[in-house]
Amino acid sequence: HKLCYKHSSTTAQELRLCIEDQEEVEESPVDEFGMTPFHVLFSSVEPSEELLEALLYRFPYYVLGWKDANGKLAMDYLVTNWTGENKILLEMALQSWMLSRLTSWGATLWMEVMQSKVQAVLAEEDKEQRKTLC
């Protein structure tokens, strides 16, 4: 969590090393606000693609579906703080959260349907409409 809060000065390598150390301790990925590292990263002004990759590698897809103490998903913060640069981050998160699971189930048709929904979210220019799609 601390490294995600300090994301502007944290490298992906530092985060990976910290995650490896935490695996030995088996700490909960949720802080006192009910936020996962994804919530923290996505609530920042300029979230990092490299840090997101490190988190996606470490945590299972379903952690992206956890809500914080305010009842928000991590992706809610990303959509609320939308910038053009966040588009790739949202795509990466949606790929992990929705499509990876369907692929592992062998649900090809569902995966194709969800892939088109992901593309619709990414293509949507209206911020409020994008929120409803997520």
Side-chain angles (χ1 to χ4, degrees), residues 1 29 31 37 42 62 74 91-92 102 116:
H1 280 90
D31 67 11
F42 290 167
Y62 57 81
E91 183 174 18
M92 291 168 64
L102 294 174
S116 69

Side-chain angles (χ1 to χ4, degrees), residues 4 9 26 35 43 46 59 65-66 96 103-104 124 126:
C4 288
S9 61
E26 294 189 26
M35 297 178 87
S43 63
E46 293 180 17
F59 294 103
W66 292 358
S96 178
T103 301
S104 69
E124 181 57 55
D126 181 84

Side-chain angles (χ1 to χ4, degrees), residues 73-115:
L73 298 170
M75 287 179 282
D76 292 336
Y77 291 99
L78 188 61
V79 171
T80 299
N81 301 324
W82 189 256
T83 66
E85 291 80 28
N86 288 355
K87 187 174 186 176
I88 188 70
L89 300 174
L90 182 60
E91 183 174 18
M92 291 168 64
L94 289 172
Q95 280 284 97
S96 178
W97 189 44
M98 297 167 62
L99 301 178
S100 296
R101 163 177 22 179
L102 294 174
T103 301
S104 69
W105 293 344
T108 312
L109 182 57
W110 281 4
M111 190 191 71
E112 291 171 5
V113 169
M114 294 312 292
Q115 181 69 41

Side-chain angles (χ1 to χ4, degrees), residues 10-28:
T10 300
T11 67
Q13 183 61 23
E14 289 172 323
L15 182 59
R16 284 186 196 96
L17 291 173
C18 180
I19 287 171
E20 287 174 14
D21 290 344
Q22 295 300 318
E23 283 179 356
E24 295 171 11
V25 179
E26 294 189 26
E27 255 186 50
S28 169

